[in-house]
């Protein structure tokens, strides 16, 4: 599968279709801090996101402390954001929505 | 269960019995960077550690990128290291050892 960097307009368009993701100042990565009710829900989200990541062969950088999961997505091979990041972000949105208050 | 801060001597003794953990300069937390062969093994370790953390009701701060998991342990309620951190560290050692090369 190709890893072509998204054009600036495509990045903006994709992010507009997602909720709560922040584009880094250098536009090379996107981040979101997910909040859950407790550790079980946070790790449940991580487990579901991990399965998607492994299936897509595209993995996040993420930090977890108790009910919070901070995610950063980028495509190292392409040196920036690609469709793989958008795909993984969408999978994470779905996983998070299942655990929403 | 009590959350009493470990005495300095007890911290040193416990860390001597573990492998690869670094005490923070302020002696309030301990850290280790775990390395695995790939994401599946890294996340397998995290899943096993998460079950232990939830069982102990004591959770890590951790960061993962692909095959690496950086862990930081401290007991916020006690303002430093307690037996709970040592217990979780030992569980993590076991989980990591099962996935060693």
């Amino acid at each position: 599968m190709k890893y072509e960097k998204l054009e600036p307009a495509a990045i903006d368009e994709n992010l507009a279709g997602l909720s709560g993701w922040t584009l880094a100042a250098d536009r090379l990565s996107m981040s979101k801090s997910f909040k859950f009710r407790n550790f079980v829900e946070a790790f449940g989200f991580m487990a579901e996101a991990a399965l998607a990541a492994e299936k897509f062969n595209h993995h996040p950088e993420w930090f977890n402390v108790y009910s919070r999961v901070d995610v950063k997505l980028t495509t190292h091979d392409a040196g920036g954001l690609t469709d793989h990041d958008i795909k993984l972000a969408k999978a994470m949105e779905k996983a998070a929505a299942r655990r929403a208050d």
Side-chain angles (χ1 to χ4, degrees), chain A:
Chain A
M1 220 182 296
K2 276 204 293 183
Y3 287 86
E4 278 180 14
K5 266 177 86 164
L6 290 170
E7 296 296 325
I11 291 174
D12 294 338
E13 196 182 327
N14 276 297
L15 259 69
L18 291 165
S19 174
W21 290 84
T22 304
L23 187 61
D26 60 13
R27 303 181 65 88
L28 301 180
S29 64
M30 53 195 276
S31 303
K32 180 170 178 177
S33 184
F34 291 89
K35 295 283 187 68
F36 301 93
R37 273 172 292 227
N38 51 44
F39 179 75
V40 168
E41 300 212 349
F43 199 80
F45 161 79
M46 291 180 78
E48 187 169 340
L51 296 177
E54 187 61 20
K55 188 158 74 174
F56 300 161
N57 193 27
H58 186 64
H59 305 85
E61 296 181 27
W62 47 3
F63 170 82
N64 161 244
V65 55
Y66 198 60
S67 57
R68 195 179 98 219
V69 184
D70 297 337
V71 177
K72 181 179 162 184
L73 302 180
T74 187
T75 305
H76 290 289
D77 292 354
L81 289 168
T82 67
D83 280 332
H84 295 267
D85 298 301
I86 305 302
K87 199 171 156 189
L88 184 53
K90 285 180 180 168
M92 286 182 160
E93 288 298 313
K94 278 192 192 166
R98 264 193 273 282
R99 292 164 181 87
D101 282 320

